[in-house]
């Protein structure tokens, strides 16, 4: 609900603050006092277009601020989360503050919970929380796209709609996958020759993991054969070719220790280590000897290695990749070519899934369409009954529900009986509310039909017909009493009162029958001095409310009779 509305420097309103209540809030006052300005100010914080001439004369800035409380409102919570506007004040108290600032320089600043937002964000949020029914058209019911949503709320069955939306989302993902696959196929076909060239070039080089390191080591060995042979020869002489070589010396030591080991068991471990050392040194000597015999300077092999290293370095530099990265790239290129060859199969598989999914989606949409058609009849009946109660006896309301056709075959259309039926996020239906005000007239779209007062009453009839199912929590009515009086005014008031049990209502009225129904009553008046005219807004006490209604009954002069009549009107409600 709207808890508080603050207005500063808006035309004749210098500074005002209105604290609204739940239920029915009524504004009364003389013509030109500023009642409609209050609703216009409310429209501004809901994202309506700004006219900078409304800024009070000699003031630089206009500020409008609305404090709202939205407990357990899922759509509000979702919007704030998605827009990253969730604040501590909302988390703890479910409070949302909207603010709009206009300056004489033509600057508009918009805020939700003190966070700067775009005008479109402000308008999107405003569409969720308030319907203003007046000539200024912040009215969801004048937008055709809202009709199907309101009808679906009337139908109920949230699980059915949620299932369809989930299926439609899955279908869209299938379409996206198909389009991406087709695009990728076209891209690969265009690149196929280039991919084949690259793959052939890398495969011809045939890089192997660790090959470059092995070749460089082998080249280093062959190029330094003379130095290696000299060192090996010297080492082998010391190991076992000289008279006092290491192997012979170790053998002698082992024999000597064996002679005395029987005298001290601690020598056993020493002997064991000596024998192990002897075997290791002998094996090393044999390995070095074998290695020495394999050493051979081979100029042909040197050239082979250098050519191979040249090939590897060339391909590495060309692609700016390491050896292992070249091997990986060759695999990726081969996979791309293999993938291209399998594209037709993959595309056929996804097209098959799309066809099956579209058929299933259509069946769900047909079921929803059937529910909409049956519920439309009940909604029509409800609205037309209320029309008779609120002074629209000759008016008639119908829900026009056409199948949404397409003029061509698309991914989102399905052919049935020579027609292409369009599937969209809400099914296959094209829903619009139609009315005729007078007998004999043609039904026309709601948005093209009626005057301001008639529109407000039509909205009232529709809103009360869907009581408990309409998700917009705050309803504002201007000119709802235009062209009515007496018995009809009393009925309109009672309908408003009924609607106020499920919504917060704010309404401007000139009729005492409607004003008497209020849960909270404000009087708007204007005061003039030598310099300016200023609007004053006052919350009325019970006695002041009686006096105000008495004025509405008898004019500016309050009589005993009008006072008694006012009390009677209030007590009857």
């Amino acid at each position: 609900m709207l808890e508080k509305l603050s207005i500063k420097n808006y035309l004749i309103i210098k500074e005002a603050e209105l604290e609204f209540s739940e239920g029915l809030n009524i504004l009364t006052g003389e013509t030109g006092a500023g009642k409609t300005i209050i609703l216009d100010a409310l429209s501004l914080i809901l994202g309506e277009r700004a006219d900078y001439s409304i800024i009070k004369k000699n003031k630089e800035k206009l500020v409008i601020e609305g404090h709202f409380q939205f407990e357990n409102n899922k759509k509000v919570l979702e919007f704030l989360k998605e827009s990253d506007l969730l604040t501590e004040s909302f988390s703890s108290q479910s409070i949302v503050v909207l603010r709009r600032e206009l300056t004489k320089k033509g600057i508009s600043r918009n805020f939700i919970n003190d966070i700067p937002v775009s005008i479109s964000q402000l308008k999107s949020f405003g569409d969720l929380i308030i319907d203003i029914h007046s000539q200024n058209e912040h009215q969801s019911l004048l937008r055709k796209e809202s009709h199907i949503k309101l009808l679906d709320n009337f139908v109920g069955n949230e699980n059915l709609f949620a299932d369809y939306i989930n299926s439609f989302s899955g279908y869209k993902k299938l379409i996206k996958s198909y389009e991406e696959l087709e695009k990728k196929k076209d891209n690969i076909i265009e690149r196929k020759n280039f991919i084949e060239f690259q793959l052939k070039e890398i495969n011809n080089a045939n890089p192997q993991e660790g090959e470059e390191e092995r070749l460089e080591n082998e080249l280093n060995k062959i190029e330094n054969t003379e130095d290696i042979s000299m060192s090996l020869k010297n080492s082998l002489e010391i190991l076992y070719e000289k008279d006092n070589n290491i192997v012979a010396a170790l053998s002698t030591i082992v024999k000597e220790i064996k002679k005395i080991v029987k005298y001290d068991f601690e020598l056993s471990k020493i002997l064991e280590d000596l024998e192990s050392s002897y075997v290791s040194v002998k094996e090393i000597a044999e390995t070095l000897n074998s290695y020495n015999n394999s050493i051979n300077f081979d100029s042909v092999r040197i050239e082979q290695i250098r050519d191979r290293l040249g090939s590897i370095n060339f391909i590495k530099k060309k692609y700016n990749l390491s050896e292992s990265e070249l091997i990986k790239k060759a695999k990726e290129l081969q996979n791309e070519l293999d993938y291209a060859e399998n594209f037709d199969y993959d595309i056929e598989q996804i097209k098959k899934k799309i066809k099956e999914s579209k058929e299933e989606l259509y069946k769900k949409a047909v079921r929803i369409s059937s529910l909409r058609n049956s519920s439309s009849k009940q909604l029509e009946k409800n609205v037309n009954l209320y029309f008779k109660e609120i002074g629209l006896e000759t008016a008639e309301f119908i829900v026009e529900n056409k199948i949404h056709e397409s003029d061509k075959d698309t991914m989102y259309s399905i052919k049935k009986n020579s027609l292409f039926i369009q599937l969209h996020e809400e099914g296959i239906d094209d829903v619009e509310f139609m009315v005729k005000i007078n007998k004999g007239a043609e039904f026309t779209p709601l948005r093209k039909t009626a005057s301001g007062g008639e529109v407000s009453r039509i909205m009232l009839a529709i809103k009360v017909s869907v009581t408990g199912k309409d998700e917009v929590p705050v309803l504002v009515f201007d000119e709802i009493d235009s062209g009515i009086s007496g018995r009809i005014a009393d009925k309109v008031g009672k309908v408003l009162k009924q609607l106020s049990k499920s919504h917060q209502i704010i309404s401007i009225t000139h009729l005492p029958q409607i004003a008497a129904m209020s849960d909270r009553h404000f009087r708007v008046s204007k005061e003039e001095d030598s310099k300016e005219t200023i609007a004053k807004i006052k919350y009325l006490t019970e006695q002041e409310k009686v006096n105000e209604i008495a004025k509405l009954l008898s004019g500016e002069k309050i009589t005993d009779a009008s006072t008694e009549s006012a009390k009677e009107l209030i007590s009857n409600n």
Side-chain angles (χ1 to χ4, degrees):
M1 63 173 276
L2 172 59
E3 291 187 333
K4 183 170 67 176
L5 179 66
S6 301
I7 306 168
K8 187 175 182 180
N9 298 330
Y10 191 133
L11 291 176
I12 63 172
I13 297 178
K14 186 175 183 180
E15 193 162 359
E17 186 170 287
L18 293 84
E19 293 188 2
F20 296 99
S21 70
E22 295 180 342
L24 181 57
N25 295 265
I26 292 292
L27 286 84
T28 58
E30 62 187 280
T31 302
K35 300 184 298 299
T36 301
I37 292 176
I38 295 168
L39 301 194
D40 291 342
L42 185 55
S43 295
L44 277 178
I45 60 168
L46 301 176
E48 289 300 312
R49 187 173 62 85
D51 178 356
Y52 293 89
S53 66
I54 62 176
I55 301 172
K56 189 171 178 59
K57 187 178 178 181
N58 299 324
K59 299 294 180 183
E60 290 301 314
K61 184 164 72 171
L62 173 154
V63 180
I64 303 163
E65 187 169 283
H67 291 241
F68 296 83
Q69 204 275 345
F70 296 112
E71 193 171 358
N72 301 321
N73 191 311
K74 291 181 181 177
K75 287 192 175 293
V76 167
L77 181 60
E78 285 173 9
F79 179 91
L80 294 176
K81 280 184 175 178
E82 288 172 4
S83 305
D84 200 22
L85 297 169
L86 207 55
T87 60
E88 188 176 335
S89 63
F90 185 83
S91 301
S92 60
Q93 302 172 45
S94 302
I95 297 293
V96 176
V97 179
L98 306 184
R99 188 168 79 256
R100 185 96 180 259
E101 299 177 358
L102 304 180
T103 70
K104 281 281 180 69
K105 294 179 180 179
I107 298 170
S108 173
R109 300 178 69 208
N110 321 295
F111 302 86
I112 297 178
N113 289 336
D114 283 329
I115 300 170
V117 295
S118 67
I119 197 68
S120 62
Q121 282 179 297
L122 202 60
K123 188 168 178 57
S124 296
F125 188 68
D127 290 342
L128 289 177
I129 61 173
I130 294 185
D131 266 347
I132 298 180
H133 303 298
S134 71
Q135 292 180 340
N136 294 318
E137 294 196 359
H138 188 94
Q139 305 176 37
S140 64
L141 284 174
L142 290 183
R143 296 191 296 275
K144 179 185 173 185
E145 61 269 20
S146 73
H147 297 178
I148 193 168
K149 294 174 183 175
L150 189 61
L151 178 58
D152 289 349
N153 287 337
F154 185 73
V155 171
N157 207 331
E158 290 182 8
N159 291 336
L160 181 65
F161 290 112
D163 179 54
Y164 177 83
I165 290 169
N166 187 54
S167 297
F168 188 81
S169 176
Y171 182 72
K172 284 203 299 185
K173 288 177 182 175
L174 273 178
I175 299 296
K176 187 178 179 182
S177 296
Y178 169 75
E179 290 172 346
E180 287 175 350
L181 201 61
E182 283 281 10
K183 188 176 180 181
K184 197 169 184 180
K185 177 185 175 182
D186 292 341
N187 185 41
I188 286 181
I189 288 172
E190 287 177 6
R191 294 179 60 237
K192 189 176 179 183
N193 290 340
F194 182 61
I195 291 170
E196 286 176 338
F197 169 78
Q198 284 189 317
L199 183 61
K200 183 178 179 182
E201 189 173 44
I202 295 173
N203 283 343
N204 284 343
N206 193 25
Q208 302 294 315
E209 194 71 54
E211 180 185 13
E212 188 176 24
E213 186 180 356
R214 290 194 301 273
L215 289 174
E216 286 175 345
N217 186 63
E218 184 181 354
L219 182 62
N220 194 35
K221 172 183 169 182
I222 297 174
E223 286 178 336
N224 293 282
T225 299
E226 187 176 345
D227 289 344
I228 294 169
S229 294
M230 181 62 68
S231 292
L232 287 174
K233 180 182 177 185
N234 293 336
S235 299
L236 287 169
E237 285 180 354
I238 294 169
L239 279 169
Y240 64 28
E241 290 178 1
K242 289 184 177 180
D243 292 340
N244 57 344
N245 63 74
I246 294 172
V247 173
L250 277 172
S251 177
T252 302
I253 294 169
V254 168
K255 289 176 183 177
E256 292 300 321
I257 297 301
K258 277 184 177 180
K259 294 178 183 177
I260 60 174
V261 72
K262 58 185 176 181
Y263 303 123
D264 187 350
F265 68 88
E266 289 184 7
L267 292 171
S268 298
K269 179 65 173 71
I270 296 172
L271 178 61
E272 188 178 315
D273 291 343
L274 281 167
E275 288 177 330
S276 176
S277 298
Y278 171 74
V279 171
S280 295
V281 171
K282 191 174 181 183
E283 287 176 353
I284 289 169
E286 290 170 356
T287 301
L288 285 175
N289 189 50
S290 176
Y291 181 83
N292 187 43
N293 292 333
S294 71
I295 293 296
N296 180 34
F297 180 81
D298 188 341
S299 59
V300 174
R301 179 58 182 159
I302 287 174
E303 287 306 310
Q304 288 176 344
I305 292 172
R306 285 175 177 167
D307 287 346
R308 179 60 180 156
L309 286 172
S311 297
I312 294 172
N313 283 322
F314 171 79
I315 203 76
K316 279 172 61 181
K317 285 180 180 178
K318 181 172 182 178
Y319 289 92
N320 195 27
L321 297 173
S322 67
E323 199 172 46
S324 59
E325 287 171 339
L326 281 168
I327 294 168
K328 183 180 178 182
K329 183 171 180 64
K331 289 178 181 177
E332 289 172 352
L333 292 169
Q334 186 62 59
N335 287 339
E336 280 196 74
L337 287 177
D338 293 343
Y339 196 39
E341 291 174 6
N342 292 321
F343 259 124
D344 290 338
Y345 173 79
D346 291 342
I347 287 172
E348 283 306 310
Q349 288 299 108
I350 200 167
K351 282 171 74 175
K352 184 180 176 183
K353 285 182 183 178
I354 287 171
K355 184 179 179 182
E356 292 169 354
S357 180
K358 186 191 285 187
E359 194 64 45
E360 188 63 31
L361 197 62
Y362 174 72
K363 288 177 183 176
K364 291 178 180 180
V366 167
R367 187 180 170 201
I368 287 172
S369 183
S370 176
L371 279 173
R372 282 176 178 149
N373 284 326
S374 59
S375 294
S376 292
K377 302 303 176 189
Q378 186 59 50
L379 180 59
E380 290 170 0
K381 183 179 177 182
N382 291 0
V383 173
N384 287 318
L385 281 173
Y386 279 111
F387 275 0
K388 289 177 172 55
E389 289 192 26
I390 59 176
L392 295 170
E393 291 90 348
T394 60
E396 195 174 342
F397 169 86
I398 61 169
V399 179
E400 185 179 78
N401 188 7
K402 299 177 181 177
I403 297 299
H404 204 297
E405 295 180 12
S406 175
D407 57 358
K408 57 184 177 181
D409 188 13
T410 69
M411 299 298 283
Y412 289 96
S413 65
I414 186 167
K415 191 173 183 180
K416 295 291 176 181
N417 300 325
S418 77
L419 291 175
F420 290 114
I421 297 174
Q422 187 76 17
L423 290 158
H424 52 83
E425 285 186 333
E426 289 155 334
I428 55 173
D429 298 307
D430 184 12
V431 173
E432 183 163 19
F433 294 165
M434 311 284 285
V435 294
K436 63 178 180 180
I437 301 300
N438 302 305
K439 285 184 178 180
E442 296 291 327
F443 281 101
T444 55
L446 185 59
R447 57 197 159 86
K448 297 180 179 178
T449 297
S451 66
E454 287 171 338
V455 167
S456 288
R457 278 182 283 153
I458 290 168
M459 301 306 178
L460 177 61
I462 294 172
K463 289 288 184 179
V464 78
S465 295
V466 296
T467 297
K469 296 179 179 179
D470 179 20
E471 295 178 338
V472 179
V474 184
L475 305 178
V476 179
F477 293 94
D478 187 13
E479 297 189 47
I480 198 164
D481 53 12
S482 177
I484 65 170
S485 60
R487 181 180 58 84
I488 298 301
D490 185 60
K491 287 188 174 183
V492 169
K494 285 178 178 176
V495 172
L496 270 176
K497 189 69 175 178
Q498 179 184 341
L499 188 57
S500 73
K501 289 177 170 50
S502 58
H503 297 72
Q504 183 188 36
I505 308 291
I506 300 170
S507 181
I508 292 175
T509 186
H510 301 91
L511 297 179
Q513 295 92 336
I514 294 175
M517 305 275 183
S518 69
D519 294 298
R520 182 160 291 189
H521 192 142
F522 298 90
R523 182 179 67 237
V524 184
S525 60
K526 59 182 179 181
E527 296 179 359
E528 296 184 10
D529 57 27
S530 58
K531 294 182 179 179
E532 61 182 349
T533 300
I534 297 175
K536 296 288 185 181
I537 303 163
K538 180 172 175 38
Y539 162 56
L540 301 182
T541 64
E542 282 303 310
Q543 184 55 51
E544 288 169 333
K545 176 179 173 180
V546 170
N547 293 340
E548 181 70 8
I549 293 170
K551 280 185 183 180
L552 294 174
L553 286 164
S554 63
E556 194 63 32
K557 186 178 179 181
I558 300 174
T559 64
D560 290 342
S562 64
T563 300
E564 287 305 312
S565 295
K567 288 178 180 178
E568 186 179 349
L569 280 174
I570 293 169
S571 64
N572 287 339
N573 297 297

